[in-house]
Amino acid sequence: MAITTGNQAPPAGRRRATSTGRAGDKIFLGLSRGSGILLLVIMASIAVFLSYRAAIAISQDEGNFLTTFDWNPAGDPPVFGIAVLLFGTVVSSVIAMAIAVPVAVGIALFISHYAPRKLAAPLAYVVDLLAAVPSIVYGLWGSLFLVPYLEGLNLWLDQYMGWTYVFDKTEVGVARSLFTVGILLAIMILPIITSVSREVFLQVPRMNEEAALALGATRWEVIRMAVLPFGRSGVISASMLGLGRALGETMAVATVLSPSFVISGHLLDPGGGTFAQNIAAKFDEANEFGRDALIASGLVLFILTLLVNGAARLIIARRKEYSGANA
């Protein structure tokens, strides 16, 4: 005779009950389902609005929307393209992620597994507080403090890393470049990734860590074999949250960057542009057609963000399937 327990999973193929029949459960179920449907409706309406206005602009564009380096929708004929904006958005976000993710994971591990409680609690509070700082504050700090002090770093990179071409400084000027924007964005997204990663690392089963320690593992081996594998999906989710902010950041980038519609492989040269920065800088002075052109660039940013988040969800789902198959 089979022995069953209260925690036994329901048989495969049987649907879980969504409501007990009580009025409170029915109301909560209806509100939850309505909220999900409302979210889908809002996303669909945004996509339809952006697509409609973008189609109007692209249909009258005399150039190639994807490859043109110029932005002059008020010209005769109107010409505008997103090549420079796409390049600047992707490059600055990649720089930010390359800097922020390793540092954020290290800080999260220090707070959750290395720091004493008297230090971990206030440090975690400071990290959470930094995540709430408005972007314009970061932008002002970056413009008045980060830009002047990064000029020395740029000269050092030009002297010792200029052979890589990427860090070859060919233009004389202050450090208002995509490299500076990437560093500023890394500082901005660092608290978000750190906070989420810290909470994930704190959820690691204590028995797993104690078992590794009982087998003679060092603290780093415990983290490498028990903590990081458990928190991998959470770190990916946290990184995607940070990447979403980096892709759509507006005021901080507009305050620091010297906008120009020139693509340069030298990251230390002033100039460049991003989608959000260009929209914020040109929206007020644009005519009706110019605003449609800006909305078209916003549609590209919208699609880019959806693709990034979709890829992250796919990676997390595959990690879960792989973990479940090896369990």
Side-chain angles (χ1 to χ4, degrees):
M1 181 177 63
I3 300 177
T4 60
T5 62
N7 295 328
Q8 186 176 4
R14 181 182 297 179
R15 296 182 59 187
R16 291 186 177 182
T18 56
S19 176
T20 61
R22 297 178 180 178
D25 289 340
K26 291 182 178 180
I27 293 174
F28 181 77
L29 175 61
L31 291 175
S32 302
R33 183 175 297 168
S35 300
I37 296 174
L38 178 61
L39 178 61
L40 294 177
V41 170
I42 293 174
M43 292 293 293
S45 61
I46 292 175
V48 170
F49 168 77
L50 293 176
S51 301
Y52 173 73
R53 297 291 293 269
I56 296 175
I58 295 175
S59 63
Q60 303 180 44
D61 182 18
E62 294 294 332
N64 191 317
F65 179 65
L66 297 177
T67 60
T68 301
F69 286 14
D70 192 16
W71 188 276
N72 188 20
D76 188 18
V79 177
F80 58 92
I82 62 165
V84 176
L85 303 178
L86 181 61
F87 177 81
T89 301
V90 172
V91 168
S92 60
S93 299
V94 169
I95 294 173
M97 294 295 291
I99 297 174
V101 172
V103 177
V105 172
I107 296 175
L109 288 173
F110 175 75
I111 295 176
S112 60
H113 287 81
Y114 284 95
R117 287 188 177 181
K118 292 183 179 180
L119 177 61
L123 186 58
Y125 174 77
V126 171
V127 171
D128 294 338
L129 188 63
L130 288 175
V133 174
S135 59
I136 186 62
V137 176
Y138 282 109
L140 293 174
W141 174 81
S143 179
L144 299 177
F145 179 84
L146 189 62
V147 169
Y149 283 92
L150 273 183
E151 187 62 25
L153 175 62
N154 287 356
L155 294 176
W156 184 90
L157 289 173
D158 179 40
Q159 180 177 358
Y160 294 101
M161 301 294 293
W163 57 272
T164 62
Y165 179 82
V166 175
F167 295 109
D168 183 15
K169 187 174 178 61
T170 61
E171 296 184 17
V172 178
V174 294
R176 296 186 177 273
S177 61
L178 291 177
F179 182 68
T180 303
V181 171
I183 294 177
L184 180 61
L185 291 177
I187 296 173
M188 293 181 63
I189 67 178
L190 183 66
I192 299 175
I193 302 175
T194 302
S195 297
V196 178
S197 299
R198 182 192 72 231
E199 295 301 322
V200 172
F201 293 151
L202 289 174
Q203 300 303 318
V204 177
R206 187 65 182 174
M207 293 179 60
N208 294 0
E209 299 183 33
E210 292 177 349
L213 290 173
L215 293 174
T218 63
R219 181 173 294 185
W220 162 242
E221 290 173 336
V222 171
I223 291 175
R224 182 169 58 87
M225 294 186 297
V227 178
L228 291 179
F230 179 87
R232 185 179 291 114
S233 60
V235 172
I236 294 175
S237 300
S239 300
M240 292 305 105
L241 287 175
L243 180 58
R245 181 173 185 181
L247 289 172
E249 182 52 46
T250 304
M251 295 310 300
V253 177
T255 307
V256 170
L257 187 64
S258 297
S260 68
F261 276 83
V262 177
I263 291 181
S264 174
H266 307 287
L267 296 182
L268 302 183
D269 288 342
T274 65
F275 287 114
Q277 171 266 330
N278 186 62
I279 293 172
K282 292 182 166 47
F283 195 84
D284 284 341
E285 62 186 24
N287 55 23
E288 186 68 21
F289 179 76
R291 292 183 180 179
D292 288 340
L294 293 172
I295 291 174
S297 67
L299 175 63
V300 178
L301 179 59
F302 181 77
I303 295 174
L304 180 62
T305 304
L306 290 181
L307 290 176
V308 168
N309 284 277
R313 297 300 303 174
L314 182 61
I315 294 173
I316 294 173
R318 287 186 175 181
R319 290 287 184 183
K320 289 182 177 179
E321 291 178 1
Y322 178 79
S323 301
N326 293 338

